[in-house]
Amino acid sequence: TVINHNAYIRTITRSVDEQLDKLDKKAELPEEDKSTNSESVTASDEDKEYREYLYGLAEEKGKEYIHDMLRTVDEKSAEEIHFNNEKRVIRALEYFKQTGKKISEHNEEQKKNESPYNFLYFVLNNDREVLYDRIDRRVDMMFDMGLTDEVIRLIKHGCTKDMTSMKAIGYREFFEYFDGTATLDDVRKKIKLDTRHFAKRQLTWFRREKEVTMLELHEFDNKDKLLKYMLEMIKEKNII
């Protein structure tokens, strides 16, 4: 079955919006908070044109160009965000246009916020070689299960490389193959490499989290010992 990605996303979005509306009604937000919420949504709608403008600039002049634009208004964000991370660069530029403030300053303010909840935030990490081996085997399995045919079907149903869904790892790498500039083996290797890079960025993001507890799986003999260790930490914080 071929999924219409845009229709699927709209369905999910509607469902989330409905739940948020219910929460808003229960929360009895003060008027100033409701106003801020409303303004934020309106600004987001109005900035679609600016977003498309930025994507157009990146296409025409290169990702480095819009990254330099970010550097002129928010040097810290430009240092932290790689120019290839087009979405985050554009999001930072959008935020500056909408608010007149740097998104790096906003992020720093958010980090200072204290959670009202007593919780532990675990991130399970593994030895890098083990992780990379699992990534490679997973990609091989995806190909064995018909990834190439899946992408071909999506393209026949009107999906293009400009769609957000088709820029995901595992899809975007195929377009060089369809253009005749790469082999299927090249595509497979590129998906493995891109997934490794993505996993590395995920770990970097998690390690920056203020409340995170990183657990290295290779330091535990088995899952039972890992679970016992986690439960002891949870009890120490009086969560259970």
Side-chain angles (χ1 to χ4, degrees):
T1 303
V2 176
I3 298 173
N4 184 322
H5 287 68
N6 290 335
Y8 179 70
I9 291 169
R10 284 195 295 271
T11 302
I12 296 296
T13 303
R14 278 198 300 271
S15 178
V16 171
D17 286 342
E18 288 170 4
Q19 296 303 316
L20 289 174
D21 286 341
K22 290 177 183 177
L23 289 173
D24 279 345
K25 288 173 184 175
K26 287 182 180 180
E28 298 280 333
L29 288 175
E31 287 304 314
E32 59 268 24
D33 287 346
K34 290 179 181 175
S35 172
T36 304
N37 236 11
S38 174
E39 288 170 9
S40 175
V41 173
T42 303
S44 178
D45 290 341
E46 291 174 354
D47 258 23
K48 285 181 180 178
E49 187 176 332
Y50 181 62
R51 186 180 308 149
E52 292 304 316
Y53 165 73
L54 291 174
Y55 275 116
L57 277 181
E59 183 75 24
E60 179 186 348
K61 299 187 177 183
K63 295 176 182 178
E64 293 94 337
Y65 184 86
I66 59 170
H67 192 261
D68 287 339
M69 288 175 61
L70 176 60
R71 190 178 297 280
T72 63
V73 299
D74 188 350
E75 188 169 353
K76 185 174 182 183
S77 286
E79 291 297 326
E80 293 178 349
I81 304 172
H82 194 277
F83 71 85
N84 274 332
N85 197 333
E86 188 179 53
K87 282 186 182 178
R88 284 192 65 200
V89 171
I90 288 176
R91 174 69 191 113
L93 286 167
E94 280 185 303
Y95 184 85
F96 184 80
K97 183 176 184 293
Q98 291 171 358
T99 66
K101 298 177 182 178
K102 301 175 182 179
I103 200 167
S104 59
E105 293 176 353
H106 168 74
N107 291 339
E108 286 300 318
E109 289 171 6
Q110 291 299 307
K111 287 179 183 177
K112 294 175 185 176
N113 292 341
E114 295 294 330
S115 172
Y117 305 107
N118 184 22
F119 72 98
L120 277 171
Y121 176 6
F122 293 110
V123 173
L124 307 182
N125 187 30
N126 214 330
D127 180 77
R128 182 167 293 187
E129 291 306 313
V130 173
L131 178 62
Y132 285 177
D133 178 64
R134 288 184 176 180
I135 287 171
D136 289 350
R137 286 191 284 117
R138 178 176 177 270
V139 173
D140 288 337
M141 188 183 300
M142 289 163 61
F143 271 87
D144 291 343
M145 294 176 69
L147 178 60
T148 305
D149 291 338
E150 177 186 338
V151 178
I152 291 172
R153 286 198 303 272
L154 289 171
I155 291 172
K156 285 182 178 178
H157 279 76
C159 293
T160 68
K161 64 181 179 182
D162 296 322
M163 290 180 173
T164 301
S165 57
M166 298 304 287
K167 293 179 181 178
I169 296 172
Y171 287 158
R172 68 187 185 209
E173 293 84 1
F174 275 92
F175 287 99
E176 289 185 2
Y177 167 68
F178 296 133
D179 291 341
T181 57
T183 65
L184 269 181
D185 190 50
D186 293 333
V187 173
R188 186 188 295 247
K189 290 176 181 176
K190 186 70 164 57
I191 293 174
K192 290 178 179 179
L193 183 62
D194 287 350
T195 307
R196 288 183 177 193
H197 289 163
F198 181 69
K200 187 177 179 181
R201 289 196 301 273
Q202 282 183 317
L203 287 171
T204 300
W205 187 87
F206 281 126
R207 289 191 177 105
R208 287 177 180 168
E209 290 286 275
K210 185 171 61 173
E211 303 289 347
V212 71
T213 301
M214 298 290 297
L215 296 177
E216 303 295 331
L217 293 180
H218 58 273
E219 294 178 0
F220 297 87
D221 293 335
N222 54 58
K223 292 180 181 178
D224 288 337
K225 289 186 177 180
L226 171 65
L227 181 58
K228 182 180 178 182
Y229 180 79
M230 293 170 71
L231 286 171
E232 287 173 354
M233 292 188 70
I234 292 169
K235 288 174 181 176
E236 284 177 10
K237 284 204 71 175
N238 296 317
I239 296 173
I240 58 174

